[in-house]
Amino acid sequence: MGKRAVFAAALAGVASFLIGPVFAQETKQEAKKTPSQARVSPVTQDQLNAADKNAKNFLLTNVNYAQTRFHPARQIGRDNVKNLHVAWIFQTDVKESLETSPIVLDGVMYVTTSFSHVYALDPKTGAEIWHYKHKMGPVTTYCCGPNNRGVQVLGDLVYLATLDSKLVALNAKTGDVVWQSDIADPELGYSETMAPTVIKDKVLIGTNGGEYGVRGFVKAYDAKTGKLLWTFNTIPENSVGAWATKDATGRDMHRNIQAEKDQLAKTGDPYQRLGGGVWQNPAIDLATNRIYFVVGNPSPDLDGSNRPGDNLYTNSLVSLDLDTGKYVCHFQYIAHDVWDLDAASPPVLLDVKGKDGKVIPGVKAGTYRACLVQPPAEGGSAPPLIIPRRYTKFETANLQFDIQAGLNDLTIEVDRDTR
């Protein structure tokens, strides 16, 4: 592990120490508070584009739009990481799970807790600058826990997605609400735990609820006004697909295709209640203006009898045009999933080199078996190259990889300092 990787891991650990343990659902405490507002400058798109080169700030949930999670700061490294110790502890007001990725801007740390609280803290002292406590509306149900994975910052606004399916823009200096938009109806099973993604004056957000018969989506909102710009439904009206009998690794999924076709004739396409939540941040290819995200499990997750077909685009890596939200391509690694084997980590953009020395742009989707996918040519209907770990040979029109064990003949191109 290189210095950048150590720092990324250390930052998460320090953030946990700084936030510390909590002991009550709503705990009243005498927290240290600073008398002034947060002294932060507006965040520009250029800063976000180069976030992985900024050693003083931590501006994106996964460090950069490629989501490599490697940070350039070098103050903490292999030789001195053993000397880390607790500098201060900040106790939040919420007793629940803590899954936030702190955002650090100009000496201010923004962290979230379960039930959609946001704190602006002084990272040097642990003093609270401001605290936003969301006024929660009706929430029917949620999975899996009332977590919140963090905020994003663009301009002078901090963006939060809430458990009751709202998108909230806060003043970065004061924590005051600037605007609020409804994402979906929480009484229908929708909720939010993911951190938003900000890009080119847009706020991108998916949804929870894949276990509760919702129809999943990714939406884009205007970052300045909160106006809805586009919606992509992760379940198309025709979700049947190709009646695939094998998964991406070539394993027989033992589907009863005839029984599924009989069910389809009886009840029709279940696309309106098929699940397909998106709760991990999308990777963004700035060069091609595309986003890549993984879609979660179908609903119900362990019983496929009432959801005939491949259940598109559940358990898939999907790419969209950033500006319009229009479909570009997808790769479904498990059709008609009845094992709840959807991806549980965000996609990562990287360059991949074959043994012939040719380099292609790739997307790593953290499925139950890691897959590498080459983005298609313009207008392509499907990714032309998929390399799961279990394949022994895979050919395309211009590339060939012979893989004897794991990814022996596949090289992921990264900066040497990150290895």
Side-chain angles (χ1 to χ4, degrees):
M1 180 183 292
K3 293 182 179 179
R4 298 186 194 180
V6 168
F7 177 82
L11 178 61
V14 170
S16 296
F17 282 144
L18 298 182
I19 295 170
V22 290
F23 301 101
Q25 182 62 51
E26 290 289 338
T27 304
K28 300 299 181 182
Q29 61 171 327
E30 294 298 325
K32 292 188 296 182
K33 293 188 177 182
T34 59
S36 60
Q37 299 178 350
R39 297 178 181 178
V40 292
S41 301
V43 176
T44 67
Q45 185 60 55
D46 287 342
Q47 285 178 286
L48 295 177
N49 291 350
D52 56 348
K53 299 176 177 62
N54 187 332
K56 294 183 178 180
N57 294 325
F58 198 97
L59 298 178
L60 292 170
T61 301
N62 293 310
V63 178
N64 55 12
Y65 287 125
Q67 307 200 125
T68 59
R69 298 192 181 190
F70 290 106
H71 194 274
R74 297 178 179 273
Q75 187 176 4
I76 301 171
R78 294 176 180 174
D79 296 334
N80 64 4
V81 66
K82 63 184 178 181
N83 299 324
L84 286 176
H85 61 275
V86 175
W88 50 260
I89 295 175
F90 177 79
Q91 181 176 321
T92 74
D93 294 339
V94 180
K95 179 187 176 182
E96 251 298 347
S97 55
L98 200 62
E99 297 187 8
T100 188
S101 291
I103 297 299
V104 180
L105 170 64
D106 295 344
V108 176
M109 177 183 287
Y110 298 98
V111 297
T112 63
T113 72
S114 289
F115 298 104
S116 310
H117 290 234
V118 183
Y119 291 90
L121 306 176
D122 183 333
K124 292 184 178 180
T125 66
E128 178 185 310
I129 301 172
W130 55 255
H131 172 202
Y132 170 73
K133 179 180 178 181
H134 182 64
K135 295 180 180 178
M136 199 69 64
V139 179
T140 303
T141 187
Y142 49 80
C143 177
C144 300
N147 317 306
N148 189 280
R149 295 184 176 87
V151 297
Q152 292 280 258
V153 181
L154 178 63
D156 55 4
L157 299 180
V158 173
Y159 300 95
L160 168 74
T162 68
L163 195 63
D164 59 345
S165 203
K166 312 288 184 185
L167 184 62
V168 182
L170 306 174
N171 184 299
K173 295 183 178 180
T174 65
D176 295 332
V177 176
V178 176
W179 56 256
Q180 176 174 297
S181 296
D182 294 334
I183 299 173
D185 187 346
E187 295 190 85
L188 297 179
Y190 292 96
S191 62
E192 296 291 344
T193 60
M194 70 183 297
T197 297
V198 290
I199 175 72
K200 294 184 178 180
D201 294 323
K202 296 179 179 64
V203 185
L204 307 180
I205 194 71
T207 185
N208 279 14
E211 289 74 20
Y212 306 119
V214 305
R215 187 185 188 190
F217 56 74
V218 173
K219 294 184 177 184
Y221 290 83
D222 186 292
K224 296 179 180 178
T225 66
K227 178 183 177 182
L228 179 64
L229 300 177
W230 54 255
T231 299
F232 174 81
N233 292 308
T234 60
I235 309 297
E237 291 188 12
N238 182 353
S239 68
V240 173
W243 303 102
T245 59
K246 295 181 179 181
D247 70 8
T249 69
R251 286 184 174 180
D252 190 333
M253 294 184 291
H254 303 288
R255 292 173 64 180
N256 187 335
I257 299 297
Q258 187 56 55
E260 290 184 38
K261 289 183 176 180
D262 292 343
Q263 182 68 28
L264 180 66
K266 180 180 178 181
T267 61
D269 195 310
Y271 73 93
Q272 291 182 317
R273 58 183 187 280
L274 198 49
V278 177
W279 48 277
Q280 292 286 351
N281 292 78
I284 301 174
D285 188 336
L286 298 174
T288 61
N289 208 44
R290 293 176 181 170
I291 69 172
Y292 296 85
F293 57 90
V294 285
V295 181
N297 56 272
S299 176
D301 52 357
L302 302 178
D303 180 6
S305 61
N306 290 320
R307 47 175 174 83
D310 293 351
N311 305 150
L312 298 175
Y313 298 110
T314 64
N315 292 56
S316 297
L317 175 69
V318 177
S319 180
L320 308 179
D321 179 87
L322 173 61
D323 291 336
T324 64
K326 290 185 178 180
Y327 168 92
V328 175
C329 65
H330 81 280
F331 172 64
Q332 188 175 43
Y333 48 89
I334 301 179
H336 195 80
D337 178 23
V338 292
W339 304 281
D340 198 15
L341 291 176
D342 54 323
S345 60
V348 179
L349 302 184
L350 38 74
D351 288 331
V352 181
K353 181 187 292 184
K355 66 178 182 179
D356 58 2
K358 293 181 179 180
V359 176
I360 60 171
V363 186
K364 177 185 178 296
T367 66
Y368 81 115
R369 291 184 182 275
C371 293
L372 295 171
V373 181
Q374 177 189 357
E378 193 66 37
S381 60
L385 176 65
I386 289 86
I387 312 175
R389 289 184 183 274
R390 219 170 143 255
Y391 277 130
T392 57
K393 186 174 182 180
F394 195 94
E395 296 183 14
T396 66
N398 60 349
L399 292 167
Q400 177 174 316
F401 293 89
D402 292 307
I403 303 174
Q404 301 303 323
L407 296 175
N408 288 351
D409 298 321
L410 198 63
T411 302
I412 297 174
E413 294 291 290
V414 294
D415 187 287
R416 288 184 180 275
D417 288 338
T418 68
R419 296 191 180 194

